[in-house]
Amino acid sequence: GENVEQHPSTLSVQEGDSAVIKCTYSDSASNYFPWYKQELGKRPQLIIDIRSNVGEKKDQRIAVTLNKTAKHFSLHITETQPEDSAVYFCAASYTGGGNKLTFGTGTQLKVEL
Amino acid sequence: DAGVTQSPTHLIKTRGQQVTLRCSPKSGHDTVSWYQQALGQGPQFIFQYYEEEERQRGNFPDRFSGHQFPNYSSELNVNALLLGDSALYLCASSLGTDDLGRPQHFGDGTRLSIL
């Protein structure tokens, strides 16, 4: 089955700096890659997603890039703010999987003042 | 626009008991997926319901079962509870179940504690 690895497990940046979180997937049939933000005690919130026919997608300070050849995708957050502090999860679903999501292990992002 | 709602928010059970968790999908959504999230880990897929049938299933034993109703709401049932079943149970809804990649929106979850 699909396996998603996520790095780093923790990331600390200064306010205003950029943050990058990387994920790799195992199933070459994977075609949909969402990112979720989960604050302590709250629901995972979909922040951006990308499909396999697109190499990059941007939404204000957040961008996601996809390299299908290398089977990895990354989340980029620019001009980080304290409210960006949370756990971020990448996920993947594959053709034939009927939208079943396999999640990474999460990255604890801390934005320091 | 109502989002995904789950009930109850917290539940405490003892080993061997049975539990039922409930989920109402976001307005306009027809597909419900259930995930188990252990502390400090990512959500793990349990199963998915569409048109009142189980369409996909993860690596969970038969003790985990579910149901979807004509109004698209869903239940997750767990029998013979084990200590290891303690987790946050998340429901996610989406529209359709094809392979195009459908955004899934999560509820706040039910925190299940087994004593």
Side-chain angles (χ1 to χ4, degrees):
Chain A
E2 174 68 282
N3 183 51
V4 177
E5 295 188 357
Q6 183 172 348
H7 300 280
S9 57
T10 61
L11 180 59
S12 184
V13 300
Q14 294 292 315
E15 183 180 9
D17 286 349
S18 295
V20 180
I21 302 171
K22 299 181 179 181
C23 289
T24 60
Y25 59 96
S26 61
D27 194 329
S28 57
S30 292
N31 61 354
Y32 175 64
F33 308 91
W35 286 87
Y36 287 86
K37 173 184 180 182
Q38 189 174 28
E39 297 176 69
L40 191 61
K42 296 191 176 181
R43 70 179 69 186
Q45 178 188 1
L46 179 65
I47 56 172
I48 196 167
D49 58 10
I50 192 168
R51 291 178 173 78
S52 59
N53 59 345
V54 177
E56 183 174 0
K57 184 177 179 180
K58 189 174 181 180
D59 183 5
Q60 298 182 12
R61 296 186 298 109
I62 294 174
V64 57
T65 58
L66 171 65
N67 183 328
K68 287 192 294 182
T69 302
K71 291 192 283 187
H72 67 69
F73 56 113
S74 300
L75 177 70
H76 304 254
I77 305 174
T78 59
E79 301 172 16
T80 54
Q81 301 167 3
E83 50 265 39
D84 294 330
S85 296
V87 178
Y88 290 80
F89 291 98
C90 62
S93 67
Y94 58 93
T95 303
N99 212 29
K100 162 188 171 182
L101 290 177
T102 299
F103 282 82
T105 49
T107 295
Q108 175 74 62
L109 174 64
K110 182 177 181 181
V111 180
E112 299 176 335
L113 297 172
Chain B
D1 181 18
V4 180
T5 58
Q6 293 186 243
S7 64
T9 54
H10 295 84
L11 205 50
I12 298 175
K13 292 286 187 178
T14 58
R15 283 178 296 174
Q17 286 189 311
Q18 177 265 344
V19 68
T20 298
L21 311 181
R22 296 176 176 82
C23 171
S24 291
K26 178 182 170 72
S27 178
H29 285 181
D30 57 8
T31 302
V32 172
S33 300
W34 287 92
Y35 293 82
Q36 180 194 66
Q37 186 176 27
L39 202 60
Q41 297 184 20
Q44 288 200 11
F45 178 80
I46 302 174
F47 43 53
Q48 181 183 84
Y49 278 84
Y50 173 70
E51 293 186 334
E52 302 179 50
E53 292 187 6
E54 184 182 293
R55 299 290 179 161
Q56 294 283 337
R57 189 177 183 91
N59 295 323
F60 281 81
D62 292 343
R63 297 188 297 110
F64 290 77
S65 63
H67 189 78
Q68 186 179 34
F69 300 93
N71 67 352
Y72 308 122
S73 67
S74 177
E75 289 182 348
L76 164 64
N77 302 292
V78 187
N79 295 322
L81 288 166
L82 304 173
L83 293 178
D85 295 332
S86 294
L88 179 67
Y89 288 85
L90 293 162
C91 169
S93 73
S94 56
L95 178 61
T97 186
D98 56 31
D99 287 330
L100 297 178
R102 302 286 185 174
Q104 295 187 32
H105 297 268
F106 283 85
D108 287 330
T110 295
R111 174 70 64 187
L112 176 63
S113 298
I114 311 301
L115 302 180

